Amino acid sequence: MTIYRIIKKIFYPPIYGHVDNVREGVVNGWAFNSTNNDKKVAIEIICNGKLVGTTIANRYRKDLKELSIGDGYCGFKCLIDVQSSINGKVTVRANGRTLKKNNLFHKINNYKQNYVTTFIKRIKHANNRIIINIDNASIIDENIIIIKGWALAKSNIKKIEIYYGDECIGLANYGQSRPDVAKAHPRFSNANYSGFYFLRNISFYESVHRTTIRICNKTEQSIEKTIILKKNDYSELSLDEQYLIFLEQNKLFSKDVSRINNKCNGFKYQPLISIVTPVYNVAPIWLDKCIESVLNQYYQNWELCLHDDKSTSQETIDCLKKWSNIDKRIKISFGEKNGNISYASNQAIKLTTGEFIGLLDHDDVLTPDALYENVKALNNNKQLDLIYSDEDKLEMNGDRTGPYFKSDFNIDLLRSNNYICHFTVIRKSVGDKVAWFTEGLEGSQDHDLFLKVIDQINQKNIHHIPKVIYSWRKVPGSTAAVYDDKNYAFEAGKLALENHLLRNNITGEVQKTKRGGVYRIIRKIETPKLVSIIIPFRDKVELLQTCLDSIKNKTKYTNYEILLVNNNSIEQKTRDFLKELKYNQHILILNFNGEFNYSKINNWAVKQAKGDYILFLNNDTEVITDGWLSNMVQDIQRDDVGAVGCRLLYADHTIQHAGIVVGINGVAGHIFNGLDKSFIHHFSYGVPKNVTACTAACLLTKKALFTELNGFDEDNLKIAFNDIDYCLKIRKHDLLILYTPHTELYHFESKSRGYEDTDEKIFRFKQEIDFIKKKWNLNDYRDPYYNINHSKQRTDYKIY
């Protein structure tokens, strides 16, 4: 072989291919690299010298596979980007070399570049062809249809109809954001919003398992496709898909509206609520919808006070002037200077005469029952000073997504980020006392206001409405769309929290985190009291050594002791290992020779402990975080905190424990259990917050409190649920349980004790379940830190 041929083969490997046909603006064919099937061939379509389409020859074709042409995945199909009717020549190039159209299996000449072309008389309807893809077609509970997908046409989609038999049962909602489709089909200008969904309760039809979708474009062309509906359950759906079902199942009908109107008229207490809205250069279409959402309220004793912050948009000003003459309850002032949102909000408040102030942004909307829900709460408790609700997002096409079903009042979550947000109603006298919004803290003005208010009121007078009554519109550049567009908000939020610490005489540092709008407070440890770390064990010295080594290597807090409680170990290597530990100044070895009773062992060990703080720690754990103990001590020193728990991970870095929700899965559940550590699973994920319980696999508490509450129940809860019982006793004592993700440990769960796998263990476990359910009435228990709209059978914060 000559050098010329070797170079030719290496740098210009033969490409085989064929142009099958060009029909209605679509070029079909195949091509593959003869020396490397995995290296797919790039296809370019040229018409009259202009590039009109690109694709990759990677489509599967059964005919090619049967003929052993390439690996079968070498077909291509490309829609040409040309006018709807044209004469011309089409050239197809594979990796820059021309493919020929004939009936032979062609090898491309690597050097002569004979641009052989295919002459076509007319390319018909290239612009009007409709492309459709169904991502999901499901039927759930035999009565809910969900169809999701995308559709494209050069002349745009006019409507998407869903049929059952000959009857149209509804129109799909078209215009969903689909950046993935835009990336795959850049020639279509509307590809970025080509998604659609259809959701309908069809319980009034009998056994619907197939349906027809009909898509029509603006030139009245259409395409029909029969869809087989796959039986599915809620677990396969995303949160937004579940939320669509939730909205469908909870929508108000005329009888509901009539009932609410009657209740509004029958309220004994009907306070005037002043809704405050600062306005600046908002598009009239969004301002109109905002104001209309107030006019549509079922509760009528309101006033809407808007202040324009010297908008430069004449359209915004004209829109405001239009509304000033429509309803006397709408009050509008026009500023002579631009003072930013805090100033504008304070100016709007000057227009108010109501007993309560509600906060509404100029491009957001309230649900019609928003004020009704607030007044209903006030009729149940007239002392309320601050009321907040759940919220969701409004896509630009009007779809509601991203529901945030919130916790009841959660001081440590509020110190981590502004979870309260909107819709929030504040007693005016309280707001007047704290001087409302602080100028200079724009971007976190709401967070600062809420912190100032809660510093002035009794937390018992804070109420959470577990219902979405406020929707943030995701206008490009808004906080609802992307927090990073407002970097100045980071510093404003940091200062708001620093001021809060000063008002409460808390010595600490506020740190920014990598997550937008989320902060970390590191408190100064005022008195580094002795921590007694209690670790029961029985043999398994490999686990115990790993645990002890990690404590030694990761602990910066120096004032601690370790109480190793030996419960009937029998192995010689255990005895040898304990001999090595005798001279460790931090370690005290205790022997408990009774039967394994987790509660009794720990209660007994606490009596031997010298520390003011007790840390219960499993022997099958390994500390990950440097300074882990300091992170926990900084919060257990607080007067309002009774116990501190942390994040525990399985060996594969998925979540074992991130706090416990009481009242789900029959008794309780470790939230986010088994999920990926690195993914944000919920708005409150990955931040310090108050929870109802934490596992005693790593739990820090106060010895005096533990003794006062009689510790763990060693008679009724020998093995399981003793930590939950103890935490519920703390909560009944009006103290907080704090969960911090800033301390992480591995937890090799059940490796030391084993599973509930014998008849005796199963019987005992069932008895403990029955006991704790009856003691705390868990069948009707409502965890205040877990929204009632979340599933009681799942631990991932989904709805169903």
Side-chain angles (χ1 to χ4, degrees):
M1 182 181 290
T2 65
I3 294 177
Y4 172 79
R5 288 182 177 178
I6 294 173
I7 293 173
K8 177 181 176 181
K9 188 166 186 177
I10 294 174
F11 293 100
Y12 301 94
I15 294 174
Y16 296 90
H18 187 251
V19 179
D20 295 335
N21 54 58
V22 183
R23 292 176 181 168
E24 294 191 353
V26 178
V27 180
N28 295 281
W30 55 266
F32 73 96
N33 187 319
S34 63
T35 60
N36 187 351
N37 274 328
D38 293 332
K39 193 171 184 179
K40 299 305 178 184
V41 176
I43 302 297
E44 296 177 314
I45 315 294
I46 311 295
C47 182
N48 292 341
K50 180 183 177 183
L51 181 68
V52 294
T54 61
T55 188
I56 301 293
N58 61 0
R59 294 172 66 95
Y60 177 73
R61 282 180 42 172
K62 185 179 179 181
D63 58 332
L64 300 180
K65 184 69 174 177
E66 290 174 349
L67 293 170
S68 298
I69 297 176
D71 58 0
Y73 290 88
C74 53
F76 65 83
K77 190 174 186 179
C78 187
L79 178 67
I80 303 175
D81 190 8
V82 295
Q83 298 301 314
S84 61
S85 180
I86 191 171
N87 292 330
K89 292 182 178 181
V90 171
T91 301
V92 181
R93 294 180 186 173
N95 282 6
R97 286 166 264 171
T98 306
L99 283 178
K100 300 177 182 180
K101 181 182 185 297
N102 53 37
N103 295 324
L104 301 176
F105 177 34
H106 265 280
K107 175 180 176 180
I108 304 303
N109 188 307
N110 293 312
Y111 298 101
K112 293 185 179 180
Q113 296 294 336
N114 296 323
Y115 291 101
V116 179
T117 59
T118 300
F119 184 78
I120 55 174
K121 290 294 183 183
R122 296 179 71 82
I123 301 174
K124 298 180 180 179
H125 306 306
N127 269 347
N128 300 332
R129 183 170 176 271
I130 299 171
I131 307 173
I132 176 178
N133 185 74
I134 304 297
D135 297 328
N136 177 26
S138 302
I139 184 165
I140 299 173
D141 289 346
E142 296 294 335
N143 62 358
I144 296 173
I145 288 179
I146 295 180
I147 301 173
K148 289 191 69 178
W150 54 268
L152 287 172
K154 283 286 182 172
S155 58
N156 292 337
I157 301 297
K158 181 180 179 182
K159 60 182 177 179
I160 299 178
E161 300 171 317
I162 310 297
Y163 284 84
Y164 176 55
D166 295 328
E167 182 180 354
C168 180
I169 58 175
L171 297 178
N173 191 319
Y174 183 73
Q176 308 296 302
S177 176
R178 289 299 296 260
D180 57 327
V181 178
K183 185 177 180 180
H185 297 274
R187 299 184 305 279
F188 290 83
S189 60
N190 61 335
N192 205 39
Y193 291 96
S194 59
F196 66 83
Y197 74 85
F198 176 79
L199 186 146
R200 183 59 52 86
N201 187 327
I202 44 83
S203 55
F204 42 87
Y205 292 101
E206 290 185 6
S207 158
V208 177
H209 291 291
R210 71 170 59 206
T211 186
T212 302
I213 184 167
R214 182 175 184 270
I215 300 179
C216 182
N217 67 8
K218 291 194 175 179
T219 60
E220 300 303 325
Q221 284 187 303
S222 64
I223 184 174
E224 289 189 4
K225 185 171 184 176
T226 299
I227 300 172
I228 305 298
L229 298 171
K230 175 187 174 184
K231 281 191 175 183
N232 215 332
D233 58 37
Y234 295 108
S235 65
E236 299 296 321
L237 303 178
S238 69
L239 176 61
D240 281 340
E241 289 170 331
Q242 290 191 5
Y243 190 46
L244 292 175
I245 297 173
F246 178 86
L247 292 173
E248 176 75 13
Q249 292 177 335
N250 288 276
K251 64 184 179 183
L252 297 175
F253 295 97
S254 56
K255 62 179 181 180
D256 301 307
V257 175
S258 177
R259 174 180 54 81
I260 291 173
N261 283 329
N262 289 335
K263 282 193 173 184
C264 288
N265 294 329
F267 282 140
K268 292 183 179 180
Y269 179 40
Q270 298 190 24
L272 174 64
I273 298 180
S274 301
I275 299 173
V276 169
T277 304
V279 178
Y280 182 72
N281 282 353
V282 61
I285 184 175
W286 308 133
L287 182 57
D288 284 345
K289 290 182 181 298
C290 173
I291 295 173
E292 287 167 0
S293 76
V294 179
L295 286 169
N296 292 334
Q297 291 300 302
Y298 302 136
Y299 181 78
Q300 291 292 302
N301 193 21
W302 55 263
E303 61 181 5
L304 176 60
C305 302
L306 306 102
H307 177 80
D308 180 73
D309 197 26
K310 200 169 178 57
S311 292
T312 57
S313 167
Q314 189 60 44
E315 287 184 337
T316 301
I317 295 171
D318 291 343
C319 182
L320 284 170
K321 289 180 178 178
K322 172 193 72 177
W323 282 108
S324 62
N325 298 318
I326 290 178
D327 193 304
K328 64 180 181 180
R329 293 173 296 178
I330 299 176
K331 302 178 180 180
I332 302 173
S333 61
F334 293 89
E336 297 181 357
K337 68 171 186 176
N338 176 257
N340 220 317
I341 191 169
S342 297
Y343 171 80
S345 298
N346 288 338
Q347 292 300 113
I349 290 170
K350 290 181 180 179
L351 302 174
T352 64
T353 58
E355 190 177 348
F356 292 90
I357 304 294
L359 307 178
L360 173 64
D361 286 350
H362 62 193
D363 48 10
D364 299 339
V365 299
L366 299 172
T367 61
D369 57 342
L371 296 185
Y372 158 75
E373 291 291 344
N374 277 269
V375 176
K376 182 172 71 171
L378 285 166
N379 273 267
N380 290 330
N381 181 4
K382 290 185 180 181
Q383 305 304 314
L384 296 179
D385 293 317
L386 186 149
I387 307 171
Y388 67 96
S389 73
D390 298 340
E391 63 191 59
D392 64 12
K393 302 293 190 297
L394 267 179
E395 302 293 335
M396 293 298 285
N397 63 359
D399 291 339
R400 293 171 66 180
T401 61
Y404 186 1
F405 294 120
K406 303 174 186 176
S407 160
D408 284 356
F409 183 65
N410 196 318
I411 182 60
D412 285 289
L413 182 57
L414 185 61
R415 286 168 176 159
S416 300
N417 73 318
N418 179 19
Y419 83 95
I420 289 180
C421 287
H422 294 315
F423 181 53
T424 304
V425 171
I426 301 170
R427 187 178 296 274
K428 187 174 185 297
S429 59
V430 175
D432 289 343
K433 189 173 182 179
V434 300
W436 291 102
F437 295 96
T438 303
E439 293 184 42
L441 291 185
E442 287 74 24
S444 288
Q445 71 282 348
D446 290 344
H447 197 181
D448 174 68
L449 174 61
F450 302 150
L451 289 168
K452 291 193 297 185
V453 168
I454 62 114
D455 287 344
Q456 288 290 328
I457 63 177
N458 189 321
Q459 292 184 9
K460 292 181 179 179
N461 294 332
I462 300 173
H463 179 71
H464 163 228
I465 298 170
K467 186 174 184 179
V468 175
I469 58 176
Y470 188 97
S471 296
W472 294 70
R473 193 176 301 279
K474 292 175 68 173
V475 177
S478 71
T479 304
V482 53
Y483 192 91
D484 288 341
D485 281 356
K486 294 186 174 182
N487 290 326
Y488 62 88
F490 284 106
E491 291 299 330
K494 183 173 181 289
L495 183 55
L497 282 164
E498 288 171 343
N499 291 338
H500 168 68
L501 296 183
L502 286 173
R503 288 192 299 270
N504 289 275
N505 297 315
I506 299 171
T507 304
E509 176 187 358
V510 179
Q511 293 184 346
K512 293 192 293 183
T513 67
K514 295 180 180 179
R515 189 169 157 195
V518 174
Y519 301 84
R520 178 182 177 185
I521 295 176
I522 298 180
R523 294 170 180 256
K524 178 184 176 182
I525 297 175
E526 301 294 345
T527 305
K529 297 179 180 180
L530 179 65
V531 177
S532 296
I533 303 174
I534 297 176
I535 308 175
F537 71 97
R538 179 182 179 183
D539 293 316
K540 305 286 184 182
V541 293
E542 301 85 358
L543 288 174
L544 182 58
Q545 183 163 9
T546 297
C547 178
L548 294 176
D549 287 346
S550 69
I551 293 173
K552 178 182 176 181
N553 296 329
K554 299 292 185 179
T555 306
K556 295 180 179 179
Y557 188 89
T558 58
N559 195 17
Y560 71 92
E561 65 173 2
I562 299 175
L563 278 62
L564 296 180
V565 187
N566 181 9
N567 180 221
N568 301 323
S569 293
I570 58 174
E571 296 177 0
Q572 181 60 44
K573 61 181 178 180
T574 303
R575 291 192 286 269
D576 294 341
F577 179 68
L578 294 179
K579 286 179 183 178
E580 296 175 8
L581 298 177
K582 276 188 176 181
Y583 303 104
N584 189 312
Q585 62 177 352
H586 282 298
I587 296 177
L588 175 64
I589 300 171
L590 304 173
N591 291 299
F592 185 91
N593 296 320
E595 66 173 357
F596 180 76
N597 178 326
Y598 180 87
S599 297
K600 193 171 186 178
I601 291 171
N602 281 284
N603 288 345
W604 176 80
V606 167
K607 295 175 183 177
Q608 324 302 317
K610 298 176 182 177
D612 291 294
Y613 302 141
I614 303 293
L615 178 71
F616 299 106
L617 186 65
N618 278 20
N619 64 322
D620 56 352
T621 57
E622 179 183 352
V623 179
I624 302 171
T625 309
D626 285 324
W628 67 289
L629 191 53
S630 300
N631 293 342
M632 300 178 76
V633 170
Q634 71 161 1
D635 285 304
I636 197 62
Q637 68 179 346
R638 291 163 47 182
D639 292 337
D640 61 340
V641 171
V644 179
C646 65
R647 177 151 61 187
L648 302 178
L649 305 176
Y650 293 114
D652 63 358
H653 291 268
T654 56
I655 300 163
Q656 190 270 334
H657 170 267
I660 293 174
V661 172
V662 175
I664 66 173
N665 293 337
V667 178
H670 288 203
I671 209 67
F672 307 121
N673 182 264
L675 300 181
D676 187 349
K677 164 197 169 181
S678 61
F679 185 73
I680 297 175
H681 301 284
H682 182 256
F683 298 94
S684 67
Y685 174 76
V687 297
K689 58 184 176 181
N690 305 122
V691 294
T692 295
C694 281
T695 177
C698 181
L699 185 71
L700 183 63
T701 189
K702 297 165 180 171
K703 181 178 180 180
L705 177 65
F706 188 82
T707 302
E708 181 183 353
L709 298 179
N710 297 316
F712 296 131
D713 187 339
E714 57 191 62
D715 296 319
N716 302 294
L717 300 171
K718 296 179 181 181
I719 310 297
F721 309 120
N722 34 56
D723 44 8
I724 293 171
D725 179 66
Y726 176 61
C727 287
L728 287 172
K729 289 191 289 186
I730 292 175
R731 293 291 298 126
K732 190 175 180 180
H733 212 62
D734 288 330
L735 292 173
L736 300 174
I737 313 293
L738 177 72
Y739 160 76
T740 175
H742 300 306
T743 286
E744 285 187 328
L745 290 83
Y746 289 119
H747 184 200
F748 311 109
E749 188 178 29
S750 295
K751 283 190 177 180
S752 57
R753 185 175 59 86
Y755 295 94
E756 312 296 349
D757 54 4
T758 67
D759 290 342
E760 182 183 357
K761 287 182 179 180
I762 293 170
F763 178 73
R764 186 263 312 151
F765 186 64
K766 185 180 183 303
Q767 281 188 316
E768 291 177 337
I769 289 176
D770 292 342
F771 173 80
I772 195 168
K773 286 178 71 171
K774 183 176 180 180
K775 177 178 179 180
W776 296 103
N777 192 24
L778 295 187
N779 288 332
D780 298 320
Y781 187 85
R782 179 182 176 273
D783 191 320
Y785 301 117
Y786 186 74
N787 196 291
I788 61 172
N789 294 305
H790 286 136
S791 170
K792 298 199 82 173
Q793 287 76 45
R794 299 172 58 139
T795 58
D796 57 0
Y797 275 80
K798 292 289 183 67
I799 303 173
Y800 299 102

